[in-house]
Amino acid sequence: MKYSDPNWTLPRGVDQRNSALLWIRNQLAGVKNGVVYFGDDDNTYDLRVFEEMRKVEKAGVWPVGIVGGMFVETPILAENGTIIDFNAVWKRERPFPIDMAAFAVNITLILSNPDALFSFDVPRGYQESTFLENVGIHRYNMEPLAEKCTKVYVWHTRTEKSKLSKEMIERLTKKRGFNELEAHALGMGERKGQNFYYPPDFNYKTHKSLNGYHGTHALRERAKKIDQGILVIRFEMPFNIWCLGCHNHVGMGVRYNAEKKKCGMYYTTPLYEFRMKCHLCDNYYVIRTDPKNFDYELVEGCSRQELRFDPTDIQQVGAVDRGFAQKLAADAMFKKEHEAEDKEKAAGEEGRVDKLEWIQERMRDDFSANSYLRAQFRNEKKSLNETRARDANLREKLSIGTTSLLPETEEDRRMASMLTRYKDAKSHDDFLETSRDRIESKRIFGRPDAPDTPSTSSGSSGGPTPSERLKATMKAERDKRINASFSSASSGVNFLGIKRKSTTSLGIQKKKPTTDGADTKDSVKPEAPPPSNPISLIAQEYGDSSDSE
């Protein structure tokens, strides 16, 4: 059977019963006395039914309670005790309209008819009739047991039950007006029956079912307007809409209790209309099916939110143009014009199909396909283990505990390389500060042939050695101190600390009087101490820088 098939599609217990019959024919071939009875796990048995089986000479029959929609299924006997009919509702046209639990046969019939077996090919409900006919049993030669079929010793129930108490039978017979046969069946049904309780005035021909007896529908509230052709169902919104009552958005997948009714036909396909109330206001939506366009038609109370896009943008198959297909089928000239294009497309796709077939054929071998998959799994597992070990090492170095790390991406690698490359990059202010410091470290009157930085050896291909870098640093610091001394000594004098000589307008130096008032024309002026500023030495050597001399 298919997964969706109901459990009654094929008869159950056929293989089990046939296995039991085969065992009987093999192991009990010499037995002359015995009875074969087929029991079920969903029945309840009174021990008296097995006492009745001892009386079976060919085939015995008795009533079964709560089966086939009846209180009890039982043979109808004539005055002389022969069976003339069966009290049954379901498929009364069967040769034996009885249940599997309603009969037992003598073992001699089983052994004398080796071909009597159950089959899957018989119609539903005909297992009992087919088996009894195969062992040579007819209605008139069946033996009615259980006090001429007036007692019920077996019932269809789901769980094991004990026999009815005398108090229950008395309550059903005296207080509720049932006979003893109905009391047995109804009593077991009240305790735990497979079917529902049927009132005494229930008539299957008139009411058909308990729903018909009570005047209700099997779907209860969902069928409250069934007389108008309306059935309440659960409707799921197929797309996004706008409510025209409250102007709110209703998303796709929101479910409503909708009234469904048939409103027309499109060829042989029925058209259905769904009416539902908005859950945000008192507005009602009316939506119909549109099988022509494979869509829904919004009739009243709502409008569709347009979110259309090209399916090829997300690598999906585009919508089928129904108008083009109809024109292609109706217009012969239009079809002829497109035949050449279709042939070219078919020729182009043929190579792709052959390639796909070649790929499938290459991997058709189960061993090769399995080896290929296992190799892929091993590589993925190895890569995963390496990633886990690298992440664990990184977490240990950073002391971040069990924090999970995201997988590395190309964007992460690019950003990391940029940070490594430009980690020593300086701002514009830092660059100016460095340039100013380098200028201040140069000697103002240094020798032109003296390089600012130490030169590398001719044989080396790299940068300066550590000793050369140290010498250059010490020289830069010394030159910076000398320049600083120039700057401190020149405060209060003109540029570079050069002083002008004091002269008269005629260029004759004035004589200073002596202490005694006499002119000491030829007196020698004492030599002044050397200036503290080295620039003064340059001024004394080269004279004043004015243009008067």
Side-chain angles (χ1 to χ4, degrees):
M1 296 191 302
K2 297 180 180 179
Y3 179 77
S4 58
D5 292 340
N7 56 5
W8 44 261
T9 302
L10 293 178
R12 292 173 291 178
V14 172
D15 289 334
Q16 292 87 334
R17 295 187 182 104
N18 288 337
S19 299
L21 293 174
L22 180 62
W23 186 88
I24 290 173
R25 292 186 175 106
N26 292 335
Q27 302 295 330
L28 305 177
V31 175
K32 301 298 181 180
N33 189 14
V35 176
V36 176
Y37 179 68
F38 301 100
D40 286 332
D41 58 351
D42 61 347
N43 292 346
T44 299
Y45 302 95
D46 192 315
L47 293 179
R48 285 174 288 182
V49 72
F50 301 104
E51 295 295 333
E52 294 293 322
M53 292 181 193
R54 299 179 183 273
K55 306 174 185 178
V56 174
E57 296 180 1
K58 286 188 176 181
V61 63
W62 46 79
V64 177
I66 318 174
V67 62
M70 300 288 293
F71 292 139
V72 60
E73 278 188 352
T74 179
I76 300 177
L77 307 181
E79 293 182 357
N80 58 359
T82 59
I83 300 175
I84 58 176
D85 200 358
F86 287 89
N87 178 33
V89 174
W90 188 69
K91 291 189 177 182
R92 294 195 60 181
E93 67 277 6
R94 292 177 293 169
F96 295 90
I98 57 178
D99 188 72
M100 190 72 70
F103 68 92
V105 296
N106 197 291
I107 193 173
T108 56
L109 297 179
I110 303 296
L111 299 177
S112 60
N113 296 277
D115 296 332
L117 294 171
F118 294 90
S119 174
F120 286 103
D121 298 330
V122 300
R124 182 187 174 205
Y126 280 76
Q127 291 290 337
E128 299 86 352
S129 300
T130 304
F131 176 77
L132 290 175
E133 289 178 344
N134 290 337
V135 296
I137 297 298
H138 300 280
R139 286 188 178 186
Y140 60 85
N141 59 5
M142 294 193 76
E143 307 159 21
L145 301 177
E147 298 185 14
K148 295 185 178 181
C149 296
T150 59
K151 301 292 184 180
V152 179
Y153 296 143
V154 58
W155 300 265
H156 261 288
T157 54
R158 289 296 183 187
T159 57
E160 183 180 357
K161 297 295 178 182
S162 60
K163 63 181 180 180
L164 294 180
S165 62
K166 294 182 180 180
E167 292 79 10
M168 181 176 290
I169 295 177
E170 182 179 359
R171 177 173 61 85
L172 293 174
T173 53
K174 293 183 178 180
K175 296 183 179 180
R176 300 182 61 178
F178 296 114
N179 56 40
E180 189 173 357
L181 180 62
E182 292 174 340
H184 277 79
L186 289 176
M188 292 304 296
E190 285 183 352
R191 298 187 66 177
K192 179 61 179 177
Q194 181 177 357
N195 296 57
F196 296 99
Y197 168 72
Y198 290 83
D201 56 345
F202 173 79
N203 188 346
Y204 180 79
K205 296 181 179 180
T206 303
H207 303 111
K208 300 298 182 183
S209 65
L210 285 175
N211 291 320
Y213 173 82
H214 293 290
T216 59
H217 195 275
L219 298 177
R220 299 293 185 256
E221 292 299 325
R222 293 176 55 191
K224 58 184 178 182
K225 297 183 180 179
I226 197 67
D227 55 337
Q228 304 175 23
I230 298 175
L231 180 66
V232 178
I233 66 166
R234 196 68 172 165
F235 183 83
E236 183 174 333
M237 197 61 65
F239 37 69
N240 298 321
I241 66 170
W242 294 102
C243 177
L244 299 182
C246 58
H247 304 286
N248 284 318
H249 172 264
V250 179
M252 179 177 63
V254 179
R255 297 181 179 181
Y256 295 93
N257 291 331
E259 297 180 353
K260 172 186 175 183
K261 68 177 180 179
K262 184 178 177 181
C263 60
M265 296 287 293
Y266 176 73
Y267 294 100
T268 58
T269 303
L271 302 178
Y272 292 102
E273 183 178 277
F274 306 93
R275 185 174 184 269
M276 64 209 81
K277 182 180 177 297
C278 176
H279 65 288
L280 301 172
C281 65
D282 294 332
N283 183 40
Y284 280 85
Y285 310 141
V286 178
I287 301 176
R288 292 177 185 170
T289 57
D290 186 7
K292 179 180 179 180
N293 300 315
F294 295 90
D295 203 352
Y296 287 91
E297 177 186 359
L298 305 183
V299 180
E300 180 184 342
C302 58
S303 62
R304 188 168 185 166
Q305 184 184 18
E306 294 294 338
L307 293 175
R308 302 181 184 272
F309 58 92
D310 188 2
T312 57
D313 295 341
I314 55 176
Q315 299 181 357
Q316 289 188 355
V317 179
V320 179
D321 187 0
R322 304 293 175 182
F324 177 81
Q326 293 175 1
K327 189 175 181 180
L328 195 65
D331 193 344
M333 293 300 297
F334 185 78
K335 180 180 180 180
K336 189 67 176 178
E337 293 174 356
H338 287 78
E339 282 184 353
E341 182 181 351
D342 294 340
K343 290 181 180 179
E344 292 178 0
K345 184 177 179 180
E349 295 293 333
E350 185 177 1
R352 295 181 58 190
V353 173
D354 294 340
K355 184 176 180 180
L356 292 174
E357 290 180 354
W358 175 77
I359 294 174
Q360 293 295 333
E361 187 66 27
R362 182 185 62 180
M363 301 303 298
R364 188 177 299 278
D365 184 20
D366 295 338
F367 178 78
S368 300
N370 187 36
S371 300
Y372 176 74
L373 290 176
R374 289 177 65 85
Q376 278 190 330
F377 292 155
R378 283 194 295 270
N379 293 335
E380 292 178 2
K381 184 178 180 180
K382 181 180 179 181
S383 176
L384 184 60
N385 291 336
E386 293 177 353
T387 303
R388 289 175 178 172
R390 185 168 58 253
D391 292 347
N393 188 21
L394 183 59
R395 284 195 295 265
E396 184 179 358
K397 288 182 178 180
L398 300 179
S399 300
I400 56 177
T402 59
T403 304
S404 59
L405 301 179
L406 295 177
E408 187 181 74
T409 61
E410 184 63 28
E411 182 68 17
D412 297 336
R413 287 190 287 269
R414 188 174 65 85
M415 293 298 295
S417 63
M418 292 178 62
L419 292 175
T420 305
R421 184 184 308 170
Y422 302 110
K423 64 179 181 179
D424 296 331
K426 299 179 180 179
S427 63
H428 182 66
D429 295 338
D430 295 336
F431 179 76
L432 292 178
E433 184 68 23
T434 304
S435 300
R436 186 180 297 107
D437 186 70
R438 186 174 63 253
I439 293 173
E440 292 178 355
S441 299
K442 290 184 178 180
R443 291 289 297 274
I444 299 176
F445 299 101
R447 290 179 297 177
D449 56 347
D452 295 336
T453 59
S455 60
T456 59
S457 61
S458 59
S460 62
S461 58
T465 61
S467 60
E468 292 176 345
R469 287 197 300 269
L470 179 60
K471 291 179 181 179
T473 303
M474 294 175 63
K475 181 177 179 299
E477 293 294 331
R478 182 187 63 191
D479 294 342
K480 194 172 183 179
R481 287 196 301 271
I482 293 174
N483 294 338
S485 64
F486 278 118
S487 176
S488 60
S490 61
S491 58
V493 296
N494 55 358
F495 185 66
L496 292 178
I498 299 176
K499 296 183 179 180
R500 296 179 181 272
K501 291 182 179 181
S502 58
T503 57
T504 60
S505 59
L506 298 177
I508 300 175
Q509 185 176 6
K510 293 183 178 181
K511 296 180 181 181
K512 293 185 179 180
T514 60
T515 55
D516 55 358
D519 292 336
T520 56
K521 178 179 180 181
D522 297 330
S523 63
V524 181
K525 185 178 182 180
E527 185 177 358
S532 60
N533 193 345
I535 299 299
S536 302
L537 300 176
I538 302 174
Q540 293 178 4
E541 181 179 358
Y542 295 101
D544 197 352
S545 61
S546 63
D547 297 335
S548 60
E549 295 182 359

